[in-house]
Amino acid sequence: MADLGEVPAKPKPRAPRGIDKADILSSAFELMATEGENGFSVRKLGAKIGIDPMTVLHHFSSRDALLRHIADRSLATIEIGPPTDDWKSDLKKVARAYRGLAHRYPKMFHLHFRFHSTGPADHATSEVVFRAMLNAGLPDRDAAGLALSFYTYLIGFGLAETEGLMQPLGPDEEQELRALDPIACAATQRLIPTFKTLDSGAAFDNTIEAFITGIEARVAMAEPQTAQSTKPSAAVRQIRP
Amino acid sequence: MADLGEVPAKPKPRAPRGIDKADILSSAFELMATEGENGFSVRKLGAKIGIDPMTVLHHFSSRDALLRHIADRSLATIEIGPPTDDWKSDLKKVARAYRGLAHRYPKMFHLHFRFHSTGPADHATSEVVFRAMLNAGLPDRDAAGLALSFYTYLIGFGLAETEGLMQPLGPDEEQELRALDPIACAATQRLIPTFKTLDSGAAFDNTIEAFITGIEARVAMAEPQTAQSTKPSAAVRQIRP
DNA sequence: ACCAATAGGTCTACAGTGTAGAAGCGTCAA
DNA sequence: TTGACGCTTCTACACTGTAGACCTATTGGT
């Protein structure tokens, strides 16, 4: 019964012609969202949607290219409005959006580090940040660097949260900290109770707040002649003179 | 000539007993530093030092455990002194150290996101940050959160630099930006020349500076009764009351 | 001196992975 | 009808991490 090997092994009813990139991408996105990168493989994906793995690679030239598209798609889910005159709230808006993105898709957020500048959604978001920095009154040089640095923080924080670096202290880690030299690591041990109830959202907000304050101070320092704050609408109009 | 198969295929002169974990780790570190994670495998490592791949796994229980040790070792190369009374320069010192680490070992810096709190070197460093935050005059709650957030930024920025996110704009990317809608992405396009000569070091320094200024402002806000800056030495003594 | 235990090193094998290259098949244009 | 082309599948290759059995040199106990 085991060896009636003649059977052509059922030629696997060829998938209907209409398999579209979009369908594959959707399934891939779903698989990635639930399984994470380690649990993701083109073979699993093929099995999930009932097509040959190589079909996937025919539409997306490589696994990496597919991951890039997945990152794209996740970025497209963030919806921040157009830039406003209020650069501070614009920065906060973008910050919230990125943190939300990390929480929504924790298993794939790290892709934004690997594939930077993935597509149009990216540009729409970064435009808001760039404009905010210019509107704050920073010279181009500083604006560009601080904007990218701001981005870096957003992605880094999101990654830290999703990778567990920002989680409240667990019992094992507490043990480890308590075992440290109480003199050399006095501050560490003093903060143990605080780590146990760490509010990462507050940490995030406070950091953004501090950063914004720092930028304000920098601008004020650079323009000592005008004690008053610069008028943001003027700065907006100043773009592309 | 091809088929004198009787030969016992030379039983591969068993490696001397003295293969130590430290030697394996050193080679692993080297391999990781030069090849990066993608080019790293226990089989390659085994081949490199002339031992069976499984010997590696006998000393380090898994590939991941080995990577953790590698991360440990790289962290151990940062050498910041003990905390001082000057919390601002302490923070800058740690920041410099981490950026230096990223530059020194760009192919393995990302491990610090995967394996947080890898060992004693880690604690020595974070103690400096925690103490700095407390010395700044922040309440424990804020100090803990802002310290971790600060860390997050350091690792995130290092990763961004090593992954190319902070590189000066290349010709292809410039093309992509120039193709954008000049009205919707006015700020982006205005900053193009600046991106081409981006000074990531300045961006880093400026961000740290802004962050520190923001923390100062926060502390000053919380203690409006004393217009003068708090005496740091008092704050240091205040630890562990 | 012997024997047994043990720890270090190796071998084999298994279940995966990404993907190149060829082959099969359906549809459309000439 | 013929040809071409494009989507799908098959097969195969070179890898990967690692479990489990095996082999052997050293060590400790008697």
Side-chain angles (χ1 to χ4, degrees):
Chain A
M1 203 158 209
D3 54 340
L4 29 82
E6 256 59 329
V7 177
K10 149 181 70 147
K12 187 182 191 177
R14 184 171 284 264
R17 202 75 167 188
I19 290 285
D20 203 3
K21 279 187 72 161
D23 301 333
I24 298 179
L25 181 52
S26 293
S27 286
F29 189 88
E30 202 178 327
L31 183 60
M32 186 70 178
T34 57
E35 302 290 328
E37 179 157 8
N38 271 0
F40 181 93
S41 79
V42 295
R43 285 175 146 99
K44 270 190 195 164
L45 177 57
K48 177 182 173 181
I49 50 187
I51 64 174
D52 191 276
M54 287 311 288
T55 304
V56 173
L57 292 187
H58 180 258
H59 290 278
F60 301 87
S61 52
S62 71
R63 176 191 205 255
D64 255 34
L66 177 53
L67 290 187
R68 173 173 236 116
H69 278 91
I70 289 174
D72 247 42
R73 194 191 190 95
S74 83
L75 248 189
T77 66
I78 82 175
E79 200 46 78
I80 57 174
T84 70
D85 275 0
D86 184 351
W87 64 274
K88 296 186 200 174
S89 77
D90 273 9
L91 284 186
K92 290 180 195 169
K93 198 166 59 176
V94 174
R96 256 196 314 272
Y98 260 81
R99 198 164 100 100
L101 182 62
H103 289 173
R104 206 163 343 139
Y105 304 117
K107 302 256 181 86
M108 62 173 78
F109 189 75
H110 67 281
L111 294 178
H112 298 299
F113 255 120
R114 191 170 333 158
F115 309 117
H116 39 286
S117 175
T118 50
D122 211 348
H123 292 131
T125 310
S126 51
E127 168 71 12
V128 176
V129 177
F130 296 146
R131 198 172 293 221
M133 293 297 175
L134 290 173
N135 281 350
L138 289 168
D140 287 19
R141 220 181 143 71
D142 296 350
L146 284 167
L148 289 181
S149 205
F150 181 70
Y151 248 99
T152 282
Y153 172 70
L154 299 188
I155 310 186
F157 193 90
L159 191 47
E161 274 193 303
T162 59
E163 302 275 316
L165 211 146
M166 271 309 217
Q167 299 294 324
L169 198 68
D172 327 347
E173 295 150 319
E174 180 179 354
Q175 282 308 318
E176 194 180 336
L177 292 191
R178 291 213 181 279
L180 296 175
D181 178 0
I183 293 169
C185 293
T188 303
Q189 296 197 328
R190 165 172 170 168
L191 291 179
I192 287 177
T194 318
F195 289 140
K196 291 208 288 188
T197 62
L198 186 70
D199 180 351
S200 68
F204 185 72
D205 293 342
N206 289 345
T207 304
I208 299 288
E209 202 71 52
F211 180 67
I212 289 179
T213 305
I215 289 180
E216 266 188 309
R218 181 182 187 86
V219 172
M221 200 71 125
E223 298 173 346
Q225 66 280 14
T226 10
Q228 305 302 71
S229 63
T230 58
K231 290 191 294 189
S233 56
V236 169
R237 221 172 294 116
Q238 182 199 358
I239 291 176
R240 201 119 199 141
Chain B
M1 207 162 208
D3 54 341
L4 29 81
E6 255 58 332
V7 176
K10 148 180 70 139
K12 188 182 192 179
R14 185 171 283 263
R17 201 77 169 188
I19 291 286
D20 203 3
K21 280 188 71 161
D23 301 334
I24 299 179
L25 181 52
S26 292
S27 285
F29 189 89
E30 202 177 327
L31 184 60
M32 185 69 178
T34 58
E35 300 289 329
E37 179 157 7
N38 272 0
F40 180 94
S41 77
V42 294
R43 284 176 146 98
K44 268 190 195 163
L45 176 57
K48 178 182 173 182
I49 51 187
I51 64 173
D52 190 277
M54 287 311 289
T55 304
V56 174
L57 293 188
H58 181 257
H59 290 277
F60 301 88
S61 51
S62 72
R63 177 191 205 254
D64 254 35
L66 176 53
L67 290 187
R68 173 173 237 119
H69 277 92
I70 290 175
D72 248 41
R73 195 191 188 94
S74 85
L75 249 190
T77 67
I78 82 175
E79 201 46 77
I80 57 175
T84 71
D85 275 0
D86 184 351
W87 64 273
K88 296 186 200 176
S89 78
D90 272 8
L91 284 186
K92 289 180 196 168
K93 198 167 58 177
V94 173
R96 254 195 315 271
Y98 260 81
R99 197 163 102 99
L101 182 62
H103 288 174
R104 207 164 341 139
Y105 304 117
K107 301 259 181 85
M108 62 173 80
F109 189 75
H110 67 282
L111 294 179
H112 297 300
F113 256 120
R114 191 169 333 158
F115 309 117
H116 38 284
S117 176
T118 50
D122 212 348
H123 293 131
T125 311
S126 51
E127 168 70 14
V128 176
V129 177
F130 296 146
R131 197 172 294 221
M133 293 299 175
L134 290 173
N135 282 349
L138 290 168
D140 287 19
R141 220 180 140 73
D142 295 350
L146 283 167
L148 289 181
S149 205
F150 180 71
Y151 248 100
T152 282
Y153 171 71
L154 298 189
I155 309 185
F157 192 91
L159 190 48
E161 274 193 302
T162 59
E163 302 277 314
L165 210 147
M166 271 309 221
Q167 299 294 324
L169 199 68
D172 327 347
E173 296 150 318
E174 179 179 355
Q175 283 307 319
E176 193 180 334
L177 292 190
R178 290 212 182 280
L180 296 175
D181 177 0
I183 293 170
C185 294
T188 304
Q189 295 197 330
R190 166 171 169 169
L191 292 179
I192 287 177
T194 318
F195 290 139
K196 292 206 290 190
T197 61
L198 186 69
D199 180 352
S200 67
F204 184 73
D205 292 343
N206 289 345
T207 304
I208 300 288
E209 202 72 54
F211 179 67
I212 289 178
T213 305
I215 288 179
E216 266 186 310
R218 180 183 189 85
V219 172
M221 200 71 123
E223 300 172 345
Q225 65 283 11
T226 11
Q228 305 302 71
S229 64
T230 58
K231 291 192 293 187
S233 57
V236 168
R237 221 173 295 117
Q238 184 198 357
I239 292 175
R240 200 120 200 141

